[in-house]
């Protein structure tokens, strides 16, 4: 599960997690949505010293407006994973992402889930971040990794 396009560092990291073992990915792109609280994101930005980002939180597309950028980010990420030699498919998910994640894990027989995300300190503190919530839902190990910046 990702929330922004994978960087070259992200792709290298996730494709080499298991050494030379060939792995495949089902990528679920969670776009910015109305579910995410602008205030919490701004607090996270301030906590990591990104004051300019905190000010711009209200300027970024959300909800239906975030769908197209999410689709482009997903296609880019899938292309990068494939160029690195992995099989990769994916989809943008907006409604009930953890339910969709559980279905994908069950249908694909996934061995693990990787949640690649920016730090969300407030949500993490209260265990309301995607990785913490997924651990109680999917039935396989959930690895939380912090995404690299562009």
């Amino acid at each position: 599960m990702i929330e922004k396009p994978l960087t070259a560092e992200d792709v290298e990291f996730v494709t080499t997690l298991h050494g030379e073992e060939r792995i495949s990915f089902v990528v679920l792109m969670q776009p910015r949505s109305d579910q995410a609280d602008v205030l919490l994101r701004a607090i996270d930005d301030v906590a990591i010293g990104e004051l300019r980002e905190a000010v711009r939180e209200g300027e970024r597309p959300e909800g239906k407006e975030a769908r197209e950028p999410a689709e482009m980010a997903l296609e880019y990420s899938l292309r990068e994973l494939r160029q690195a030699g992995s099989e990769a498919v994916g989809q943008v998910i907006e409604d009930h992402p953890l339910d969709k994640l559980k279905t994908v894990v069950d249908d694909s027989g996934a061995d693990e889930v990787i949640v690649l995300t920016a730090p969300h300190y407030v949500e993490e503190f209260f265990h309301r971040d995607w990785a913490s919530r997924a651990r109680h839902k999917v039935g396989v190990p959930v690895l939380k990794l912090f995404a690299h910046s562009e």
Side-chain angles (χ1 to χ4, degrees):
M1 181 176 266
I2 62 174
E3 59 187 8
K4 66 178 194 163
L6 298 177
T7 65
E9 293 89 359
D10 295 330
V11 170
E12 181 178 354
F13 193 44
V14 299
T15 58
T16 60
L17 277 173
H18 298 285
E20 297 298 315
E21 182 181 343
R22 185 160 167 82
I23 54 176
S24 61
F25 295 91
V26 178
V27 180
L28 301 179
M29 175 71 186
Q30 173 66 38
R32 291 172 61 97
S33 64
D34 297 328
Q35 298 172 23
D37 188 343
V38 174
L39 178 60
L40 289 178
R41 289 194 308 259
I43 291 169
D44 286 339
D45 290 336
V46 170
I48 61 173
E50 296 288 340
L51 299 178
R52 289 185 181 151
E53 292 297 316
V55 171
R56 289 195 291 255
E57 280 300 334
E59 299 173 5
R60 295 203 172 84
E62 293 190 6
K64 295 186 186 319
E65 294 175 3
R67 176 81 188 191
E68 186 176 341
E71 289 172 351
M72 292 173 31
L74 175 65
E75 286 304 315
Y76 173 83
S77 298
L78 294 175
R79 186 173 52 250
E80 294 299 307
L81 287 166
R82 291 174 188 140
Q83 287 178 354
S86 296
E87 294 178 29
V89 296
Q91 61 186 292
V92 173
I93 53 170
E94 296 175 78
D95 297 325
H96 310 290
L98 292 176
D99 292 339
K100 184 61 177 179
L101 180 61
K102 172 72 171 144
T103 300
V104 167
V105 166
D106 291 345
D107 292 350
S108 67
D111 296 325
E112 71 182 346
V113 168
I114 299 172
V115 177
L116 192 65
T117 181
H120 298 290
Y121 297 113
V122 175
E123 291 175 350
E124 290 167 23
F125 180 78
F126 292 107
H127 302 284
R128 300 301 304 155
D129 59 300
W130 290 120
S132 296
R133 293 169 57 197
R135 285 185 182 106
H136 300 288
K137 183 111 180 158
V138 298
V140 297
V142 176
L143 178 60
K144 179 179 183 171
L145 301 173
F146 290 120
H148 291 80
S149 298
E150 287 89 354

